[in-house]
Amino acid sequence: MNTSISRRQFLKASGLAAAGACAAGLLTGCGGSSSGSASGAASSGSSYTILYDSQPATLNYLTTGTDLEMVVGANCVDTLVEYDNKGVMREGLATSWDWDVDTLTWTFHLREENWVDCNGEVVAPVTAQDFVDALKYVLTPDYAASNVGLVTAYIAGADDYYNYHVYLNNANTGVVDDDGTTYTVDGSGVVTVTAPDSDPATYAPVDFDAVGVTAVDDHTLTYTLTYDFPGFLSLLCYLPYEPAYGPLLEETGDQFATSAETTYSCGAFYLAAYESLETWVMKKNPENYDADNVFIDTISRIYNAEASVNGPEMIKRGEIDEATIGSDILDSWLSDDTTKDMVSMDRPNTNYTYFYMFNFMPFSHEFSNWSVEGMDAEYEPENWAKAINNTNFRKSFLYGINNSVTLAVKAPEGYDNYKLNTITPPSFCANADGVDYLKCGDLANITEFFDEAKAKEYRDAAIPELTAAGVTFPIKVQMPYNPSSTDWDKQCQVFKQQLEGVLNDGFDFIDIIITAGPSDSFLSSVRRNGKFAFLQCNWGADYSDPQTETDPFYQAEGARGSRYAFLRTGVEDGFITGDTADAVMNYMKAIEEAVKITDDINARYDAFANAEASLINNALVVPLGMSIPAYIATRLGGPVRFHRLLQQASEGHPRPRPLHLHERVRGQPRRPLRLFESVRSKALRFPTGKRRAFRFWILLHEFL
């Protein structure tokens, strides 16, 4: 007799907490139309079909830093090392490695592996030179790699090489910086940089041979570091250290990874098809060394601009295998006998933390590799620039925001479990004595901020100061959201009501203006373009060390690179002054001192903790919380199919095998690693996007 078993019943019987899928717009692991009918994909044991509603600006894993654009690198390109499901480092493309402290050199010994094209055909073997060529690509200014700082800060010679070529490009293209700095180059390649009120500085040509990455032979690769960086091995799991086939890079240049035809793969899957605003298909790579542990043949994504609206109906019709269930229809799905067993909440994702950023540079300005438009005139950027330069104004936000109200939109129950008063989440790392990082240094003293009385005290203190500075009231606060992110618009609405209710009590202090940004390329169009006054942002670690949590905020002296806040730029350009400028520079100096501490983990962690606490206590950033699991509907495909997959998962796997993603295992950072879906210490390998768990019929997530 066939017995029906619901997903919840199975998870309960298996001792697993209900998991679920990730929020729409965040899981972007794979997609496109299936090779057959969509309903056929949903009923087949070897394919998985979902929707996506946000178009990536690029597929180039070497240059990007955003989730949606990390998909190819996460699923189709293996890394030197990876983590197992317990957060333990293990081999990837490298089978062994050695560290020489005297020369600051890591040596990696590579396994036999092949590159395949979009048809799954072998192109060439993966060699050490592919890592060298990929790093050279990252360090080429023309390609504007967003993660170049993760290379220049740690690889010997990389910073000098990159800076020289930036200056050379500036000289060849006639760039003049905002402050009047000019660049010239002579016949021998020497670049002269002339800044106002400074003596000219000269830079001799730097060849790539000076960079500390070397292919000793086809299967031996070395990296020489600038210093003994504690988190380097974990950094190798991240995008700029992934390999790429050198001849393809040379042939395609800035067109690398813009299509399936210009992308080669050496991971669990290969990119079989990609059509912008249409389809996204990845197929199992039979050449991968771990192919025996990959049980899905095809992962298809279909572009649908209204995925959040159309997805639930499409999953009912069997056209897709997963859909996000928004808060507006959740109750009806849970009360309907035909759908209630399809719905569950995703497991908590501690990888991301969310926080609010003030735009300290609301005006149009130029950087070395892009321009920022700034806020539109209707939102009064001049008025806003004066307001955020006032510490009491910012602290009225810090103490006036009730994060519980915002988080409750997505988590009607248990929202306090997702609240944070820090940027770094709990259990990210611990010092040499096993003390959680949040209990180190001044972070240990940070508690709940929300306090209406204090918020009004800071508001009342700010009003005369702002008035004296020429600020007019109410202060316009442009707050954008991404319409493709489920319930973000609702969060903004309750945020506006809550904060205005506190700060406008007795005085017309602020006017929060909610604006819808574009669904596609939201970060490029809004945050990176300075089109906001106050914005909910997020961040996840790139490696296992608290320094990674400084990336959205820290800028080196004179650095004009991409950061969330442009804090130092604001000071250098005179937009941030007084106490705020002092707080910014104290933070920058504290980070610079903390980075130097490499031989005493406890002292290092305390120093970074003190810096993060100062950033928050001076209201340069306002913490919010961790990622809240979405409600999703998935198709189990019936108990026979499900148990067949369980059997596959538990048979014949001598060690946990991975799946590309960007996911924090407890105590470890987000990274392009692999998701382990384990049974009895064995593993079933499935693909996913970085930072988010792939959900294959909610299979065994809680073992992660």
Side-chain angles (χ1 to χ4, degrees), residues 378-701:
E378 64 182 296
Y379 303 113
E380 301 176 357
E382 294 84 1
N383 204 51
W384 175 253
K386 295 174 184 176
I388 58 162
N389 205 39
N390 182 281
T391 300
N392 287 322
F393 173 75
R394 298 192 311 277
K395 285 190 174 182
S396 72
F397 277 62
L398 178 65
Y399 287 92
I401 295 172
N402 184 351
N403 288 329
S404 295
V405 173
T406 302
L407 295 173
V409 172
K410 287 191 174 183
E413 297 179 1
Y415 47 80
D416 280 339
N417 295 328
Y418 305 105
K419 276 201 311 186
L420 286 178
N421 297 308
T422 57
I423 304 304
T424 305
S427 301
F428 166 61
C429 59
N431 69 11
D433 298 324
V435 177
D436 189 280
Y437 174 66
L438 297 192
K439 299 297 182 182
C440 295
D442 293 341
L443 283 181
N445 301 320
I446 286 186
T447 57
E448 172 73 32
F449 283 103
F450 176 60
D451 185 322
E452 288 193 29
K454 277 191 175 182
K456 292 174 183 176
E457 288 177 10
Y458 284 117
R459 176 203 65 184
D460 293 343
I463 290 172
E465 296 171 346
L466 293 171
T467 301
V471 173
T472 58
F473 300 97
I475 298 167
K476 292 184 178 181
V477 185
Q478 184 195 9
M479 188 177 190
Y481 68 91
N482 187 338
S484 71
S485 294
T486 304
D487 291 332
W488 192 349
D489 58 337
K490 299 180 182 68
Q491 285 186 314
C492 289
Q493 291 291 342
V494 299
F495 176 92
K496 171 183 171 69
Q497 183 178 9
Q498 184 271 313
L499 186 59
E500 286 185 349
V502 173
L503 297 184
N504 287 350
D505 182 17
F507 184 80
D508 201 8
F509 190 60
I510 58 173
D511 177 17
I512 298 175
I513 304 171
I514 300 171
T515 59
S519 296
D520 297 326
S521 304
F522 177 83
L523 293 181
S524 299
S525 300
V526 177
R527 195 198 75 208
R528 294 173 186 158
N529 203 22
K531 294 282 188 186
F532 71 96
F534 195 68
L535 181 66
Q536 179 182 303
C537 301
N538 56 23
W539 177 253
D542 294 327
Y543 47 86
S544 184
D545 185 85
Q547 184 179 348
T548 189
E549 298 290 351
T550 72
D551 278 11
F553 318 108
Y554 173 75
Q555 285 181 288
E557 182 178 0
R560 314 294 289 186
S562 175
R563 285 294 178 265
Y564 286 36
F566 304 112
L567 289 171
R568 195 165 198 156
T569 301
V571 175
E572 291 176 347
D573 290 359
F575 295 109
I576 302 176
T577 59
D579 292 342
T580 302
D582 292 341
V584 168
M585 295 311 299
N586 286 338
Y587 171 78
M588 301 299 165
K589 292 173 184 175
I591 295 302
E592 289 160 2
E593 291 302 314
V595 169
K596 297 176 184 177
I597 305 172
T598 61
D599 57 352
D600 185 338
I601 293 299
N602 287 3
R604 180 180 177 88
Y605 283 19
D606 283 348
F608 278 112
N610 292 343
E612 181 173 330
S614 74
L615 187 77
I616 298 166
N617 286 327
N618 284 288
L620 297 172
V621 61
V622 179
L624 172 55
M626 293 183 290
S627 179
I628 298 175
Y631 283 92
I632 54 92
T634 55
R635 300 179 59 83
L636 293 179
V640 174
R641 175 186 177 200
F642 193 54
H643 286 292
R644 184 174 70 247
L645 290 168
L646 291 181
Q647 183 178 11
Q648 288 177 321
S650 60
E651 291 178 350
H653 306 308
R655 55 192 170 93
R657 303 304 305 169
L659 174 99
H660 281 284
L661 81 154
H662 223 51
E663 176 64 35
R664 175 175 288 140
V665 181
R666 182 176 179 84
Q668 295 296 338
R670 75 169 163 87
R671 52 191 175 260
L673 33 95
R674 294 75 168 141
L675 178 62
F676 300 81
E677 316 233 8
S678 305
V679 179
R680 302 173 191 166
S681 298
K682 311 300 181 182
L684 177 62
R685 182 177 180 177
F686 293 120
T688 182
K690 295 175 186 177
R691 300 184 180 170
R692 304 299 300 173
F694 182 69
R695 295 87 56 209
F696 183 65
W697 293 277
I698 319 307
L699 182 61
L700 311 178
H701 279 157

